[in-house]
């Protein structure tokens, strides 16, 4: 009787020890399996990076530019280049509309193009998010009467810090701004831009926009051969194409290369003050 009780107790102890060992092993396995990857954590941290403001004090724009560059250089090793301090500074400081930013362009590869009337300025840079299909960071700055507005695309303005109701935001690399006037002497801006889709190919665009009251709007002035209106002309081709779009200010015309096989033949569009109508093929 006593021997049976001892054996039963011993067996119970062995079972309890085995169960405890099994649960401890499972807990350790789960901790090892669920251990976060430091690289993944870093990527997530970069993805959710807080909007960095530019709060430095300065007395001149040259001093501000120097401090801004130092602030932006802190992010040079980041996975993605948002340049939040630049967005914040441009949106707060009206003098950025005319300041040349020579040092900023040279040191941080930020391109800036400005319309010849000084009312539209576009900042563009590579965010490092797209590989060969580059995702551009874009800030658009524009003036209406005495007020300057700033908008930024969603790829850099992750937290929606720049309030906007605009229907136009350019996510391409803007090379040039060309201005024409409609029949009411109101300016229309033709943005010449490119979007690489691979290491070899890309899309080229002319986008027509106008400033209406306090916002940017598409200008549906482009009348195609099939009779529909648009505000964008696009061409697909090699990344090393030259002279994709040609402007003729005298005749208010735009020439758009048709395809690389065609050679020097262009689609000809002429502006009559209300619409830019397709005229036909032209050899340049």
């Amino acid at each position: 009787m006593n021997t049976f009780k001892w054996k039963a107790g011993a067996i119970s102890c062995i079972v309890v020890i085995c169960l405890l060992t099994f649960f401890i092993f499972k807990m350790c396995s789960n901790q090892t399996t669920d251990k976060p990857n430091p690289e993944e954590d870093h990527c997530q941290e970069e993805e959710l990076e807080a909007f960095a403001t530019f709060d430095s004090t300065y007395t001149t724009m040259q001093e501000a530019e120097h401090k801004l560059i130092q602030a932006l250089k802190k992010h040079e090793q980041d996975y993605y280049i948002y340049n939040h301090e630049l967005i914040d500074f441009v949106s707060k400081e009206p003098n950025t509309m005319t300041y040349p930013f020579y040092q900023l362009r040279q040191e941080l590869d930020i391109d800036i193009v400005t319309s010849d009337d000084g009312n539209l300025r576009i900042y563009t840079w590579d965010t490092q998010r797209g590989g060969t299909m580059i995702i551009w960071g874009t800030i658009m700055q524009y003036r209406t009467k005495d007020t300057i507005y700033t908008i930024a695309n969603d790829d850099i303005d992750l937290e929606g810090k720049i309030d906007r109701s605009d229907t136009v935001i350019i996510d391409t690399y803007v090379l040039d701004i060309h201005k024409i006037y409609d029949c009411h002497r109101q300016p229309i801006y033709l943005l010449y831009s490119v979007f690489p889709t691979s290491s070899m190919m890309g899309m080229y665009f002319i986008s027509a926009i106008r400033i209406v009251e306090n916002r940017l709007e598409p200008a549906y002035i482009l009348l195609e051969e099939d009779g529909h209106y648009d505000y964008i002309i696009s061409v697909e081709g090699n990344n090393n194409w030259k002279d994709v779009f040609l402007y003729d200010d005298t005749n208010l015309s735009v020439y758009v290369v048709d395809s690389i096989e065609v050679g020097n033949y262009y689609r000809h569009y002429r502006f009559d003050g209300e619409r830019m109508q397709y005229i036909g093929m032209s050899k340049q």
Side-chain angles (χ1 to χ4, degrees):
M1 186 72 175
N2 291 337
T3 302
F4 175 79
K5 287 183 178 180
W6 179 85
K7 289 182 177 180
I11 292 171
S12 299
C13 288
I14 292 171
V15 170
V16 170
I17 292 171
C18 289
L19 289 173
L20 286 173
T21 302
F22 173 77
F23 283 120
I24 291 171
F25 174 78
K26 287 292 289 181
M27 289 176 66
C28 291
S29 297
N30 288 339
Q31 288 179 356
T32 303
T33 303
D34 296 337
K35 186 177 180 180
N37 186 326
E39 291 187 1
E40 292 179 354
D41 276 1
H42 186 62
C43 288
Q44 291 174 358
E45 182 179 328
E46 292 293 335
E47 188 71 32
L48 301 175
E49 179 188 14
F51 191 97
T53 58
F54 181 73
D55 296 324
S56 297
T57 57
Y58 55 91
T59 56
T60 66
M61 284 297 293
Q62 290 84 354
E63 181 185 1
E65 180 182 21
H66 176 73
K67 291 185 175 182
L68 178 64
I69 290 171
Q70 300 310 308
L72 295 175
K73 280 189 172 181
K74 295 178 182 178
H75 306 297
E76 283 186 320
Q77 303 304 316
D78 292 351
Y79 279 87
Y80 307 130
I81 309 299
Y82 297 120
N83 287 342
H84 285 158
E85 291 92 343
L86 176 61
I87 304 174
D88 187 57
F89 181 54
V90 167
S91 65
K92 291 177 179 177
E93 175 55 75
N95 288 319
T96 56
M97 192 77 189
T98 55
Y99 187 72
F101 285 113
Y102 294 129
Q103 189 178 0
L104 180 73
R105 300 185 197 200
Q106 182 177 0
E107 295 191 27
L108 293 174
D109 291 328
I110 296 173
D111 288 329
I112 304 172
V113 293
T114 309
S115 61
D116 59 10
D117 61 5
N119 289 331
L120 177 63
R121 170 172 274 203
I122 301 174
Y123 307 71
T124 311
W125 67 91
D126 183 356
T127 64
Q128 307 294 326
R129 299 184 70 187
T132 56
M133 189 175 71
I134 299 173
I135 296 176
W136 301 102
T138 305
I139 303 172
M140 301 183 74
Q141 196 177 19
Y142 58 98
R143 188 199 322 265
T144 61
K145 295 182 180 179
D146 296 326
T147 306
I148 295 175
Y149 298 90
T150 303
I151 59 176
N153 60 344
D154 291 331
D155 288 310
I156 56 176
D157 187 19
L158 299 179
E159 297 183 3
K161 293 292 184 179
I162 305 299
D163 185 29
R164 67 172 185 264
S165 59
D166 304 77
T167 55
V168 172
I169 181 65
I170 304 300
D171 293 319
T172 57
Y173 174 44
V174 180
L175 301 167
D176 190 21
I177 302 174
H178 196 78
K179 183 179 87 278
I180 58 177
Y181 287 98
D182 64 17
C183 56
H184 304 291
R185 295 299 298 169
Q186 297 301 310
I188 297 173
Y189 302 96
L190 304 178
L191 310 185
Y192 173 24
S193 62
V194 62
F195 180 78
T197 54
S198 70
S199 59
M200 297 293 294
M201 302 296 291
M203 295 294 297
Y204 298 84
F205 301 93
I206 285 183
S207 307
I209 66 174
R210 65 172 97 231
I211 301 173
V212 179
E213 295 178 351
N214 63 344
R215 63 189 184 278
L216 293 177
E217 287 190 352
Y220 287 89
I221 61 170
L222 302 169
L223 179 58
E224 292 287 0
E225 188 177 7
D226 61 5
H228 85 276
Y229 283 89
D230 208 334
Y231 74 100
I232 291 180
I233 299 175
S234 63
V235 182
E236 184 177 12
N238 295 330
N239 280 340
N240 60 353
W241 273 15
K242 305 295 183 184
D243 299 327
V244 177
F245 302 110
L246 302 177
Y247 300 104
D248 181 352
D249 290 324
T250 303
N251 296 310
L252 295 177
S253 293
V254 174
Y255 298 90
V256 182
V257 69
D258 191 64
S259 73
I260 195 167
E261 290 81 12
V262 175
N264 293 327
Y265 281 92
Y266 288 75
R267 286 182 285 160
H268 180 196
Y269 296 82
R270 181 179 296 148
F271 188 56
D272 64 5
E274 292 184 357
R275 55 188 171 273
M276 184 166 283
Q277 186 171 354
Y278 174 75
I279 302 300
M281 297 300 294
S282 175
K283 186 173 176 61
Q284 295 296 309

